[in-house]
Amino acid sequence: MEKYMCPMPQNKNSAARPFAVEFRHVTKTFGRIVANHNISFSVPAGTIRALVGENGAGKSTAMKILFGLYKEDSGEILVHGKPQHWRSPKDAILNGIGMVHQHFMLDETSTGLDNIILGSEAYLRKFPFVPTPFNFIDRQTAHKKILAIAQKYGIDVPLNVTVSELPIGMQQKIEILKILYKKPNILILDEPTAVLTPPEVNTLFDNLKKLRDEGKTIIIVTHKLKEILNFTDDITVFSKGHMTGEIKTSSATEEKIAHMMVGKNINLHPVITPAHIDNPKVVLELKNVLNNFHLTLRQGEILGVAGVEGNGQSELVHFACKKNKKTNRAVGFIPEDRHHDGLLLNMSALDNFILGRQWEKMFRFGIFQRRAAIKKLFKGEMKKYDIRPRNRFLNAAQFSGGNQQKIVVAREFGKNPDLIVACNPTRGVDIGAIQFIHEKLIENRDRGAGILLISSELEEITKLSDRILVLYAKKIVGCYNRGEITEHALGLAMCGGAL
Ligand SMILES: Nc1ncnc2c1ncn2[C@@H]1O[C@H](COP(=O)(O)OP(=O)(O)OP(=O)(O)O)[C@@H](O)[C@H]1O
Ligand SMILES: [Mg+2]
């Protein structure tokens, strides 16, 4: 692999900009898995650093160590020049570090407001002689404070709704507000944009730039090349647990970053032609759902659905799956929240792989499961989808986010479905895996499946879809054929704007 090395922290501009964060030879293992191997890199204060690399490269692990969730086996981390050994995230928070996690850490039974103030509640001291926990939380003042922050940063979320009732993009914004509320000096954001739409991404990064200009330091983990190029100052690359390169964003290109991440050239702009199916059958028909909503999906087509979350997507998925229950068709379903609806985290990767497919003929012999056949098939799929580590016995929870996604995708595509309902199918997967999943969607389409693609990634929608529907206020406000609408115009249409 070509190396763009800067292995040791070089405090070249330390006089002007001291380092906010320094990793020095940090190693972290989980049993036999070396998640971080002798990692060294440093981030000057007042800059935005992109941390990139393939799925399972060790990015989240390194960030969790910095946040006090994991303890390094060896090496040390300096924060503002001082060695730190957090005992828990509480120590990190007290020292001005905030983290937005790849998989949200929200209490789903509480409201957005309670989640935001959790750990830093102010109490109404109406009963001075009563111990603090029995006093009332001052939610009114907290509400005002949060609204002021939300307004300053242009983040619009309902604060009094229980988190479980919020769509995933809203939950993401609650996570972001939660750290802004604590006013940290160092912000770690682990794939914060995976479920945000382009206008929301722009708002987030405008805010991050504001924070940087106020002197805050930001480390952001992302797989999205455009974000990296448009909004960050420097890029650090991880590969298979090692820190393998560093580059100034100003001298990077999409191709160069992709190459640094996966060690080979990737065709980032493949040409996709329509499928040719004779007399395509209708695989999904919805009539009169939502606000007079009609939808027809045929074999051999990808129907993209664009829209800001909450404009009817979840209802659409619900109707599509419900309708299909009545037919005997095989349906592949990639949910937007893999932890919630896609995986049993405490079961092995192998068991997750046949989840919902356990009654398929090829997996059964009478009342018995054909374990050998299942293992053989999954072994092949792990290789094909590059699911790492190649250990089928590990629990789903022990895989990195992107590798968990690949387990779900491999299972659902493996059904050879007639209908695929794919919600953000490439959420959290790396550049190579994005291309692979896109190829697989096209392959499924070309063999005659009908695909409903719901994605916050407009590039994904415009690139893959044969037809595009735009949802706004639970109505279809636009319908376009391939090539008829640009990403920019699509962004406007889904916000209710004129084209
Ligand atoms: N709690 C855990 N137990 C066991 N292994 C783990 C655990 N957390 C992470 N790992 C392993 O450590 C390695 C690094 O995982 P990590 O989550 O840091 O990757 P990542 O770079 O964030 O990947 P992604 O882009 O998919 O989120 C992986 O091989 C993963 O399987
Ligand atoms: Mg991760």
mmCIF file of all heavy atoms in Angstrom, residues 385-413:
data_model
loop_
_atom_site.group_PDB
_atom_site.id
_atom_site.type_symbol
_atom_site.label_atom_id
_atom_site.label_comp_id
_atom_site.label_asym_id
_atom_site.label_seq_id
_atom_site.Cartn_x
_atom_site.Cartn_y
_atom_site.Cartn_z
ATOM 1 N N TYR A 385 -18.513 -10.495 1.082
ATOM 2 C CA TYR A 385 -18.862 -9.163 1.601
ATOM 3 C C TYR A 385 -17.723 -8.554 2.422
ATOM 4 O O TYR A 385 -17.860 -7.476 2.965
ATOM 5 C CB TYR A 385 -20.131 -9.243 2.464
ATOM 6 C CG TYR A 385 -21.393 -9.346 1.649
ATOM 7 C CD1 TYR A 385 -21.795 -10.565 1.118
ATOM 8 C CD2 TYR A 385 -22.171 -8.233 1.384
ATOM 9 C CE1 TYR A 385 -22.949 -10.671 0.358
ATOM 10 C CE2 TYR A 385 -23.326 -8.320 0.632
ATOM 11 C CZ TYR A 385 -23.713 -9.548 0.113
ATOM 12 O OH TYR A 385 -24.859 -9.636 -0.634
ATOM 13 N N ASP A 386 -16.638 -9.281 2.525
ATOM 14 C CA ASP A 386 -15.479 -8.833 3.288
ATOM 15 C C ASP A 386 -15.872 -8.448 4.723
ATOM 16 O O ASP A 386 -15.548 -7.364 5.210
ATOM 17 C CB ASP A 386 -14.791 -7.658 2.578
ATOM 18 C CG ASP A 386 -13.389 -7.422 3.132
ATOM 19 O OD1 ASP A 386 -12.867 -8.330 3.795
ATOM 20 O OD2 ASP A 386 -12.832 -6.324 2.915
ATOM 21 N N ILE A 387 -16.599 -9.359 5.365
ATOM 22 C CA ILE A 387 -17.006 -9.109 6.755
ATOM 23 C C ILE A 387 -15.822 -9.467 7.645
ATOM 24 O O ILE A 387 -15.324 -10.598 7.602
ATOM 25 C CB ILE A 387 -18.242 -9.959 7.122
ATOM 26 C CG1 ILE A 387 -19.435 -9.559 6.242
ATOM 27 C CG2 ILE A 387 -18.589 -9.805 8.611
ATOM 28 C CD1 ILE A 387 -20.636 -10.471 6.329
ATOM 29 N N ARG A 388 -15.365 -8.479 8.415
ATOM 30 C CA ARG A 388 -14.188 -8.700 9.263
ATOM 31 C C ARG A 388 -14.528 -8.493 10.729
ATOM 32 O O ARG A 388 -15.288 -7.567 11.026
ATOM 33 C CB ARG A 388 -13.076 -7.699 8.892
ATOM 34 C CG ARG A 388 -12.567 -7.899 7.510
ATOM 35 C CD ARG A 388 -11.427 -6.933 7.297
ATOM 36 N NE ARG A 388 -11.391 -6.487 5.903
ATOM 37 C CZ ARG A 388 -10.645 -5.490 5.480
ATOM 38 N NH1 ARG A 388 -9.885 -4.824 6.317
ATOM 39 N NH2 ARG A 388 -10.642 -5.146 4.217
ATOM 40 N N PRO A 389 -13.929 -9.211 11.681
ATOM 41 C CA PRO A 389 -13.056 -10.354 11.441
ATOM 42 C C PRO A 389 -13.852 -11.555 10.930
ATOM 43 O O PRO A 389 -15.067 -11.633 11.136
ATOM 44 C CB PRO A 389 -12.467 -10.633 12.822
ATOM 45 C CG PRO A 389 -13.318 -9.932 13.800
ATOM 46 C CD PRO A 389 -14.086 -8.886 13.099
ATOM 47 N N ARG A 390 -13.130 -12.474 10.265
ATOM 48 C CA ARG A 390 -13.816 -13.630 9.668
ATOM 49 C C ARG A 390 -14.103 -14.684 10.738
ATOM 50 O O ARG A 390 -13.634 -15.810 10.673
ATOM 51 C CB ARG A 390 -12.907 -14.282 8.621
ATOM 52 C CG ARG A 390 -12.574 -13.419 7.469
ATOM 53 C CD ARG A 390 -13.527 -13.654 6.303
ATOM 54 N NE ARG A 390 -12.884 -13.247 5.066
ATOM 55 C CZ ARG A 390 -12.779 -11.991 4.669
ATOM 56 N NH1 ARG A 390 -13.278 -11.017 5.414
ATOM 57 N NH2 ARG A 390 -12.182 -11.702 3.543
ATOM 58 N N ASN A 391 -14.825 -14.288 11.765
ATOM 59 C CA ASN A 391 -15.118 -15.220 12.845
ATOM 60 C C ASN A 391 -16.621 -15.251 13.062
ATOM 61 O O ASN A 391 -17.197 -14.342 13.642
ATOM 62 C CB ASN A 391 -14.382 -14.763 14.119
ATOM 63 C CG ASN A 391 -14.607 -15.713 15.264
ATOM 64 O OD1 ASN A 391 -15.494 -16.572 15.214
ATOM 65 N ND2 ASN A 391 -13.811 -15.564 16.310
ATOM 66 N N ARG A 392 -17.255 -16.343 12.572
ATOM 67 C CA ARG A 392 -18.723 -16.406 12.595
ATOM 68 C C ARG A 392 -19.284 -16.560 13.998
ATOM 69 O O ARG A 392 -20.465 -16.384 14.236
ATOM 70 C CB ARG A 392 -19.205 -17.549 11.707
ATOM 71 C CG ARG A 392 -18.682 -18.891 12.119
ATOM 72 C CD ARG A 392 -19.180 -19.996 11.221
ATOM 73 N NE ARG A 392 -18.704 -21.272 11.693
ATOM 74 C CZ ARG A 392 -17.718 -21.958 11.151
ATOM 75 N NH1 ARG A 392 -17.091 -21.472 10.103
ATOM 76 N NH2 ARG A 392 -17.356 -23.121 11.649
ATOM 77 N N PHE A 393 -18.421 -16.944 14.954
ATOM 78 C CA PHE A 393 -18.910 -17.183 16.317
ATOM 79 C C PHE A 393 -18.972 -15.902 17.150
ATOM 80 O O PHE A 393 -19.560 -15.885 18.218
ATOM 81 C CB PHE A 393 -18.035 -18.214 17.036
ATOM 82 C CG PHE A 393 -18.017 -19.529 16.306
ATOM 83 C CD1 PHE A 393 -16.864 -20.004 15.719
ATOM 84 C CD2 PHE A 393 -19.185 -20.275 16.188
ATOM 85 C CE1 PHE A 393 -16.856 -21.196 15.026
ATOM 86 C CE2 PHE A 393 -19.189 -21.470 15.501
ATOM 87 C CZ PHE A 393 -18.015 -21.939 14.910
ATOM 88 N N LEU A 394 -18.308 -14.839 16.693
ATOM 89 C CA LEU A 394 -18.371 -13.585 17.462
ATOM 90 C C LEU A 394 -19.806 -13.079 17.481
ATOM 91 O O LEU A 394 -20.540 -13.221 16.501
ATOM 92 C CB LEU A 394 -17.502 -12.514 16.798
ATOM 93 C CG LEU A 394 -15.991 -12.569 16.978
ATOM 94 C CD1 LEU A 394 -15.361 -11.354 16.298
ATOM 95 C CD2 LEU A 394 -15.611 -12.588 18.452
ATOM 96 N N ASN A 395 -20.201 -12.470 18.599
ATOM 97 C CA ASN A 395 -21.528 -11.872 18.649
ATOM 98 C C ASN A 395 -21.581 -10.676 17.706
ATOM 99 O O ASN A 395 -20.561 -10.016 17.480
ATOM 100 C CB ASN A 395 -21.839 -11.381 20.068
ATOM 101 C CG ASN A 395 -22.202 -12.536 20.970
ATOM 102 O OD1 ASN A 395 -22.424 -13.649 20.496
ATOM 103 N ND2 ASN A 395 -22.253 -12.274 22.253
ATOM 104 N N ALA A 396 -22.792 -10.375 17.225
ATOM 105 C CA ALA A 396 -22.941 -9.237 16.309
ATOM 106 C C ALA A 396 -22.388 -7.965 16.952
ATOM 107 O O ALA A 396 -21.783 -7.126 16.282
ATOM 108 C CB ALA A 396 -24.402 -9.058 15.949
ATOM 109 N N ALA A 397 -22.554 -7.827 18.272
ATOM 110 C CA ALA A 397 -22.098 -6.619 18.965
ATOM 111 C C ALA A 397 -20.586 -6.438 18.878
ATOM 112 O O ALA A 397 -20.077 -5.330 19.053
ATOM 113 C CB ALA A 397 -22.517 -6.679 20.428
ATOM 114 N N GLN A 398 -19.873 -7.539 18.622
ATOM 115 C CA GLN A 398 -18.409 -7.434 18.610
ATOM 116 C C GLN A 398 -17.856 -7.022 17.242
ATOM 117 O O GLN A 398 -16.653 -6.878 17.078
ATOM 118 C CB GLN A 398 -17.797 -8.771 19.044
ATOM 119 C CG GLN A 398 -18.061 -9.046 20.513
ATOM 120 C CD GLN A 398 -17.654 -10.454 20.900
ATOM 121 O OE1 GLN A 398 -18.144 -11.434 20.360
ATOM 122 N NE2 GLN A 398 -16.740 -10.561 21.832
ATOM 123 N N PHE A 399 -18.746 -6.847 16.276
ATOM 124 C CA PHE A 399 -18.300 -6.365 14.969
ATOM 125 C C PHE A 399 -18.408 -4.842 14.928
ATOM 126 O O PHE A 399 -19.234 -4.257 15.633
ATOM 127 C CB PHE A 399 -19.158 -6.964 13.852
ATOM 128 C CG PHE A 399 -18.851 -8.413 13.592
ATOM 129 C CD1 PHE A 399 -19.409 -9.406 14.372
ATOM 130 C CD2 PHE A 399 -17.972 -8.776 12.580
ATOM 131 C CE1 PHE A 399 -19.112 -10.739 14.156
ATOM 132 C CE2 PHE A 399 -17.671 -10.109 12.349
ATOM 133 C CZ PHE A 399 -18.236 -11.089 13.142
ATOM 134 N N SER A 400 -17.576 -4.222 14.095
ATOM 135 C CA SER A 400 -17.673 -2.770 13.946
ATOM 136 C C SER A 400 -18.975 -2.447 13.210
ATOM 137 O O SER A 400 -19.582 -3.325 12.579
ATOM 138 C CB SER A 400 -16.476 -2.244 13.166
ATOM 139 O OG SER A 400 -16.606 -2.603 11.812
ATOM 140 N N GLY A 401 -19.395 -1.162 13.292
ATOM 141 C CA GLY A 401 -20.685 -0.768 12.733
ATOM 142 C C GLY A 401 -20.867 -1.171 11.272
ATOM 143 O O GLY A 401 -21.894 -1.728 10.889
ATOM 144 N N GLY A 402 -19.867 -0.901 10.467
ATOM 145 C CA GLY A 402 -19.970 -1.188 9.034
ATOM 146 C C GLY A 402 -20.049 -2.680 8.773
ATOM 147 O O GLY A 402 -20.763 -3.142 7.865
ATOM 148 N N ASN A 403 -19.327 -3.472 9.570
ATOM 149 C CA ASN A 403 -19.356 -4.926 9.388
ATOM 150 C C ASN A 403 -20.692 -5.500 9.835
ATOM 151 O O ASN A 403 -21.183 -6.468 9.248
ATOM 152 C CB ASN A 403 -18.183 -5.576 10.115
ATOM 153 C CG ASN A 403 -16.896 -5.405 9.328
ATOM 154 O OD1 ASN A 403 -16.768 -5.912 8.215
ATOM 155 N ND2 ASN A 403 -15.958 -4.637 9.863
ATOM 156 N N GLN A 404 -21.308 -4.892 10.839
ATOM 157 C CA GLN A 404 -22.663 -5.304 11.232
ATOM 158 C C GLN A 404 -23.629 -5.068 10.068
ATOM 159 O O GLN A 404 -24.472 -5.906 9.757
ATOM 160 C CB GLN A 404 -23.135 -4.499 12.442
ATOM 161 C CG GLN A 404 -22.389 -4.819 13.719
ATOM 162 C CD GLN A 404 -22.755 -3.858 14.848
ATOM 163 O OE1 GLN A 404 -23.468 -2.879 14.659
ATOM 164 N NE2 GLN A 404 -22.256 -4.133 16.039
ATOM 165 N N GLN A 405 -23.467 -3.913 9.426
ATOM 166 C CA GLN A 405 -24.341 -3.592 8.297
ATOM 167 C C GLN A 405 -24.189 -4.635 7.190
ATOM 168 O O GLN A 405 -25.159 -5.063 6.568
ATOM 169 C CB GLN A 405 -23.996 -2.186 7.762
ATOM 170 C CG GLN A 405 -24.883 -1.689 6.641
ATOM 171 C CD GLN A 405 -26.269 -1.274 7.114
ATOM 172 O OE1 GLN A 405 -26.563 -1.271 8.304
ATOM 173 N NE2 GLN A 405 -27.144 -0.951 6.181
ATOM 174 N N LYS A 406 -22.931 -5.066 6.983
ATOM 175 C CA LYS A 406 -22.688 -6.040 5.909
ATOM 176 C C LYS A 406 -23.359 -7.383 6.228
ATOM 177 O O LYS A 406 -23.794 -8.086 5.324
ATOM 178 C CB LYS A 406 -21.185 -6.242 5.714
ATOM 179 C CG LYS A 406 -20.481 -5.014 5.147
ATOM 180 C CD LYS A 406 -19.052 -5.381 4.815
ATOM 181 C CE LYS A 406 -18.088 -4.279 5.095
ATOM 182 N NZ LYS A 406 -16.691 -4.724 5.042
ATOM 183 N N ILE A 407 -23.440 -7.743 7.522
ATOM 184 C CA ILE A 407 -24.108 -9.000 7.896
ATOM 185 C C ILE A 407 -25.594 -8.916 7.502
ATOM 186 O O ILE A 407 -26.154 -9.837 6.919
ATOM 187 C CB ILE A 407 -23.969 -9.278 9.420
ATOM 188 C CG1 ILE A 407 -22.503 -9.491 9.787
ATOM 189 C CG2 ILE A 407 -24.804 -10.485 9.833
ATOM 190 C CD1 ILE A 407 -22.237 -9.612 11.287
ATOM 191 N N VAL A 408 -26.213 -7.762 7.807
ATOM 192 C CA VAL A 408 -27.627 -7.582 7.471
ATOM 193 C C VAL A 408 -27.830 -7.652 5.962
ATOM 194 O O VAL A 408 -28.713 -8.360 5.454
ATOM 195 C CB VAL A 408 -28.148 -6.214 8.002
ATOM 196 C CG1 VAL A 408 -29.582 -5.971 7.563
ATOM 197 C CG2 VAL A 408 -28.043 -6.147 9.513
ATOM 198 N N VAL A 409 -26.980 -6.937 5.241
ATOM 199 C CA VAL A 409 -27.140 -6.868 3.782
ATOM 200 C C VAL A 409 -26.932 -8.252 3.152
ATOM 201 O O VAL A 409 -27.704 -8.682 2.288
ATOM 202 C CB VAL A 409 -26.156 -5.822 3.192
ATOM 203 C CG1 VAL A 409 -26.176 -5.855 1.678
ATOM 204 C CG2 VAL A 409 -26.515 -4.427 3.686
ATOM 205 N N ALA A 410 -25.911 -8.980 3.619
ATOM 206 C CA ALA A 410 -25.635 -10.314 3.072
ATOM 207 C C ALA A 410 -26.839 -11.232 3.298
ATOM 208 O O ALA A 410 -27.243 -11.984 2.412
ATOM 209 C CB ALA A 410 -24.390 -10.905 3.729
ATOM 210 N N ARG A 411 -27.430 -11.164 4.494
ATOM 211 C CA ARG A 411 -28.588 -12.010 4.807
ATOM 212 C C ARG A 411 -29.768 -11.673 3.892
ATOM 213 O O ARG A 411 -30.386 -12.561 3.307
ATOM 214 C CB ARG A 411 -28.997 -11.768 6.268
ATOM 215 C CG ARG A 411 -30.243 -12.537 6.662
ATOM 216 C CD ARG A 411 -30.647 -12.198 8.078
ATOM 217 N NE ARG A 411 -31.143 -10.836 8.205
ATOM 218 C CZ ARG A 411 -30.994 -10.060 9.283
ATOM 219 N NH1 ARG A 411 -30.329 -10.500 10.334
ATOM 220 N NH2 ARG A 411 -31.482 -8.838 9.315
ATOM 221 N N GLU A 412 -30.054 -10.403 3.750
ATOM 222 C CA GLU A 412 -31.258 -10.010 3.007
ATOM 223 C C GLU A 412 -31.104 -10.264 1.507
ATOM 224 O O GLU A 412 -32.025 -10.744 0.864
ATOM 225 C CB GLU A 412 -31.583 -8.530 3.289
ATOM 226 C CG GLU A 412 -31.898 -8.251 4.754
ATOM 227 C CD GLU A 412 -33.053 -9.088 5.298
ATOM 228 O OE1 GLU A 412 -34.082 -9.191 4.608
ATOM 229 O OE2 GLU A 412 -32.917 -9.656 6.414
ATOM 230 N N PHE A 413 -29.930 -9.967 0.956
ATOM 231 C CA PHE A 413 -29.714 -10.227 -0.471
ATOM 232 C C PHE A 413 -29.687 -11.735 -0.734
ATOM 233 O O PHE A 413 -30.033 -12.203 -1.805
ATOM 234 C CB PHE A 413 -28.411 -9.600 -0.956
ATOM 235 C CG PHE A 413 -28.472 -8.100 -1.133
ATOM 236 C CD1 PHE A 413 -27.330 -7.362 -1.399
ATOM 237 C CD2 PHE A 413 -29.680 -7.429 -1.037
ATOM 238 C CE1 PHE A 413 -27.377 -5.989 -1.566
ATOM 239 C CE2 PHE A 413 -29.742 -6.047 -1.195
ATOM 240 C CZ PHE A 413 -28.589 -5.328 -1.455
#
